[in-house]
Amino acid sequence: MASRWNKDLTWNDVTPKAAFLNRRQIMAGAVGLGAASIAGPALSQELEPNSFEDITSYNNFYEFGTGKSDPAKNAHALDTLDWKITVDGMVDNAGEYTFAELIEGLTEEERIYRFRCVEAWAMIVPWNGVELGGILNKIGVQSGAKYVAFETAVQPENMIGVQRRVLDFPYREGLRLDEAMHPLTLMATGIYGEPMPNQNGAPMRLVVPWKYGFKSIKSIVRITLTDQEPPTSWNMQNAREYGFYSNVNPQVSHPRWSQASHRLIGGGLFNRREDTLMFNGYETEVASLYDGMDLSEKF
Ligand SMILES: Nc1nc2c(c(=O)[nH]1)N[C@H]1C(S)=C(S)[C@@H](COP(=O)(O)O)O[C@H]1N2
Ligand SMILES: [Mo]
């Protein structure tokens, strides 16, 4: 289903070449979807979604090793049969859900999002998934809950990175409740209309397009509603370098590198540097979530 949240990037853009050559017509068509379609920065109109190959061969998934090609090599070992998600904390409908139960009745959409890693590389990914807000409404968030915490599966026998203890697993992430309820925040279940490949976080992973990639936690097995800011993996590892918010911000440097630009992954037109946009290009949609907040302090 077409979504106005794709803004200037539409499903048509996924088709290589022909779509690229007919961009003007496609853009004209996209405008019909709603005012949001024309709100995107001019820069993004030069972007093409990365290939399935790019998206599934250059990954970060430390449970399967720290090299970019390690997840593609090792994540076949991830056991996704009989996947269960524990829902607990400040919710009305706590319990253990299957993957199907959790997304049942929610509208699956295609969302073409910019994806920006804190390491200053980026891709354009055509995700499939449901709005996280839909899941939260189903599980019944209780008043007083302020944050959502997530955990990734730990399968020591299947995960070479867990055996090597490259991080303090389980991988943990979290969002403020208003961030989690924002319609851009996706529980992604696939890419290019295919079920989520293991290396990208099967069977479902978070996608928060205005935040650095590490917030988009993979292979989720636990969702907890809480009134406390939850501990998160990279913040636990190095709080000076990785904040809880981790909003993409070209003006706030990482202590060891600038965040003002990034490298687009891929061949051909890709692999070039481009300027990083405030909130990764989603400023119009999300800036109000942070009104009055000092973004260099709450990085
Ligand atoms: N469980 C888990 N989730 C994770 C990671 C990880 O190592 N483990 N890496 C994060 C980082 S740093 C990035 S950039 C993205 C990469 O997603 P991709 O491989 O689908 O591009 O996943 C994020 N989610
Ligand atoms: Mo990342």
Side-chain angles (χ1 to χ4, degrees):
M1 159 180 181
S3 166
R4 70 195 186 92
W5 295 103
N6 285 333
K7 301 205 304 178
D8 47 324
L9 304 170
T10 77
W11 185 243
N12 294 322
D13 291 306
V14 174
T15 313
K17 276 287 184 293
F20 181 72
L21 297 171
N22 290 306
R23 174 159 305 280
R24 276 175 191 282
Q25 288 94 306
I26 290 160
M27 293 314 297
V31 171
L33 296 174
S37 304
I38 54 170
L43 238 185
S44 65
Q45 297 186 9
E46 301 304 318
L47 296 181
E48 280 289 290
N50 283 83
S51 66
F52 187 85
E53 172 71 16
D54 287 343
I55 297 165
T56 57
S57 62
Y58 188 94
N59 301 97
N60 273 332
F61 198 168
Y62 275 24
E63 286 84 340
F64 293 103
T66 56
K68 294 290 182 274
S69 56
D70 287 345
K73 235 180 315 193
N74 300 325
H76 61 88
L78 179 70
D79 182 2
T80 57
L81 279 177
D82 226 15
W83 196 268
K84 296 282 199 321
I85 301 101
T86 300
V87 172
D88 60 6
M90 303 172 76
V91 289
D92 292 334
N93 307 312
E96 235 184 26
Y97 293 75
T98 65
F99 170 54
E101 284 166 348
L102 205 60
I103 62 170
E104 192 192 323
L106 301 175
T107 307
E108 207 155 343
E109 295 185 43
E110 293 147 349
R111 299 278 182 97
I112 302 168
Y113 283 162
R114 298 178 194 81
F115 190 86
R116 169 59 156 86
C117 176
V118 74
E119 300 162 333
W121 55 264
M123 293 198 201
I124 312 291
V125 184
W127 304 104
N128 310 100
V130 300
E131 289 183 3
L132 177 64
I135 293 177
L136 295 176
N137 288 336
K138 263 173 73 163
I139 64 182
V141 177
Q142 294 176 350
S143 68
K146 294 194 179 75
Y147 297 89
V148 192
F150 303 88
E151 283 181 20
T152 295
V154 181
Q155 300 177 356
E157 64 284 10
N158 301 336
M159 295 172 157
I160 197 167
V162 170
Q163 290 162 16
R164 293 176 187 159
R165 298 167 190 269
V166 302
L167 267 180
D168 181 11
F169 296 110
Y171 193 99
R172 299 173 181 87
E173 259 308 333
L175 296 172
R176 225 170 52 189
L177 188 58
D178 57 346
E179 298 175 323
M181 290 299 295
H182 194 283
L184 279 173
T185 304
L186 200 67
M187 186 64 90
T189 56
I191 53 172
Y192 273 102
E194 304 275 342
M196 190 65 75
N198 286 0
Q199 60 265 43
N200 295 89
M204 57 170 200
R205 55 89 59 84
L206 202 63
V207 177
V208 193
W210 70 93
K211 293 178 178 284
Y212 292 120
F214 67 82
K215 297 295 291 183
S216 293
I217 181 173
K218 296 178 168 181
S219 303
I220 292 168
V221 292
R222 188 170 178 193
I223 302 175
T224 307
L225 274 291
T226 165
D227 57 2
Q228 308 285 323
E229 185 182 292
T232 56
S233 285
W234 282 104
N235 183 253
M236 289 161 68
Q237 177 79 5
N238 191 335
R240 206 177 69 86
E241 299 193 354
Y242 308 104
F244 174 79
Y245 284 91
S246 286
N247 293 313
V248 174
N249 188 337
Q251 283 143 45
V252 176
S253 297
H254 184 277
R256 291 183 281 129
W257 59 84
S258 164
Q259 295 290 26
S261 70
H262 56 253
R263 183 172 52 93
L264 265 175
I265 298 302
L269 291 172
F270 293 102
N271 247 330
R272 56 186 163 80
R273 287 205 83 81
E274 62 172 25
D275 290 343
T276 295
L277 300 169
M278 188 63 200
F279 295 113
N280 204 25
Y282 301 97
E283 184 170 16
T284 312
E285 289 80 3
V286 303
S288 64
L289 295 174
Y290 311 104
D291 276 348
M293 212 166 98
D294 181 345
L295 297 177
S296 59
E297 194 197 319
K298 297 272 185 192
F299 59 88

